Amino acid sequence: MTFEGLVSRRDVIFGGKMFANRSIDQLAFSALSRSRYQTLAPDIFLEILSKCALADRRRVLFYGYSSGAFAAIYFSKYISRDFVIIALSPNNTWHPWMREYKGINPVLSYKFSDIDNISNAFIFLDRFHPDDAYFESKLRSRYGAAVEVFDVKSCGHGSLEALVESRLIDKVVDLVLNTVDEDAKRGAIKKVLAEVLEFRKLNARESYVLSRANNFSSRGRHRAAAAFVSRYSNQFERFGGR
């Protein structure tokens, strides 16, 4: 089940194609307007699930981004069978800057107190981003170290974009779904996130290199521009950079 975030960029792959390529059946949710899934009442959610033959599924994946990530965590409590959660930069309507929306569609109180525990969840966020840091503080105050949180450094609230643009989202999903040993899974995911950070550093450097090259070209120094780019090009090839 996928829960799209309100701020998902349309030019970034959210998950549909990724799961389709794996022949994974997908039930996709998208919040109406700015409701942030508050209009998806539990009885409606369960009615939808009753038509999806979940008993035939070996395991259920809840996958979401931003407000959709919290929805993925929230609605997993209605599943009694084996499931796993991948939540990217989650936040909810009780975050300070989102409270202005909590009265629009007050079907759900949408608080952590509605969730007794969070199990088998892999949460990805940037601990230095205000929104993500606030969410983690509330997460920790209620569940302690029981929830696995992975730090996607220097991505802001855009952990999805960081993983997609570095072409590593598929690897993270594969590790979560297919690696049996939990310690090996955590270690492998952390290595992937180190690659994401490396990519972002290279991406920033690439922008600088291209800016300098354009500056050379604009002054007619085309050979200098080409030499400047070639000096760094091998560093970008790993991630398919220009």
Side-chain angles (χ1 to χ4, degrees):
M1 298 181 204
T2 61
F3 297 82
E4 189 171 3
L6 179 66
V7 294
S8 294
R9 281 172 42 193
R10 296 299 176 183
D11 59 333
V12 172
I13 297 172
F14 169 64
K17 184 177 179 181
M18 177 172 60
F19 296 123
N21 289 340
R22 288 169 169 73
S23 298
I24 297 176
D25 293 332
Q26 182 181 178
L27 177 60
F29 292 90
S30 183
L32 294 172
S33 184
R34 303 182 73 85
S35 68
R36 301 179 188 274
Y37 296 97
Q38 289 181 94
T39 54
L40 183 57
D43 57 337
I44 297 174
F45 179 72
L46 292 172
E47 182 182 353
I48 293 171
L49 294 192
S50 68
K51 302 175 181 178
C52 295
L54 286 183
D56 299 333
R57 307 293 187 253
R58 181 174 61 86
R59 185 167 50 164
V60 177
L61 167 66
F62 287 84
Y63 173 90
Y65 171 56
S66 194
S67 57
F70 185 80
I73 295 170
Y74 185 91
F75 287 104
S76 69
K77 70 178 184 175
Y78 295 106
I79 299 292
S80 58
R81 58 181 292 100
D82 186 24
F83 67 85
V84 62
I85 303 167
I86 297 178
L88 302 158
S89 299
N91 59 21
N92 67 351
T93 53
W94 287 83
H95 184 286
W97 76 267
M98 295 172 71
R99 285 177 186 159
E100 63 182 287
Y101 303 112
K102 73 183 178 67
I104 297 176
N105 297 290
V107 176
L108 302 177
S109 58
Y110 229 49
K111 295 181 291 186
F112 281 120
S113 57
D114 298 332
I115 309 172
D116 294 330
N117 61 72
I118 299 175
S119 60
N120 211 17
F122 295 83
I123 297 173
F124 299 85
L125 48 76
D126 181 352
R127 289 194 169 109
F128 286 96
H129 188 273
D131 297 346
D132 291 18
Y134 178 87
F135 187 90
E136 185 182 14
S137 69
K138 294 301 180 183
L139 197 70
R140 293 298 186 202
S141 65
R142 182 166 177 81
Y143 308 105
V147 179
E148 192 74 54
V149 176
F150 295 91
D151 189 14
V152 188
K153 299 180 185 297
S154 303
C155 73
H157 188 61
S159 61
L160 172 66
E161 285 89 341
L163 286 164
V164 169
E165 290 170 355
S166 59
R167 300 173 175 83
L168 291 168
I169 183 67
D170 293 60
K171 188 179 289 188
V172 168
V173 171
D174 283 336
L175 288 169
V176 171
L177 295 180
N178 301 319
T179 305
V180 177
D181 183 271
E182 292 299 323
D183 291 333
K185 182 185 297 186
R186 293 187 193 96
I189 290 174
K190 288 177 181 177
K191 287 181 179 178
V192 171
L193 297 183
E195 289 187 62
V196 174
L197 180 60
E198 180 184 349
F199 167 80
R200 295 186 69 78
K201 288 180 178 177
L202 287 175
N203 201 38
R205 182 178 296 179
E206 182 183 12
S207 297
Y208 164 74
V209 168
L210 294 176
S211 175
R212 285 291 304 275
N214 288 334
N215 183 262
F216 282 130
S217 295
S218 67
R219 289 182 289 156
R221 299 177 60 189
H222 302 297
R223 285 187 179 181
F228 194 76
V229 171
S230 65
R231 188 187 310 170
Y232 293 95
S233 61
N234 64 321
Q235 298 180 36
F236 306 136
E237 287 175 359
R238 180 181 179 189
F239 292 102
R242 291 185 289 273

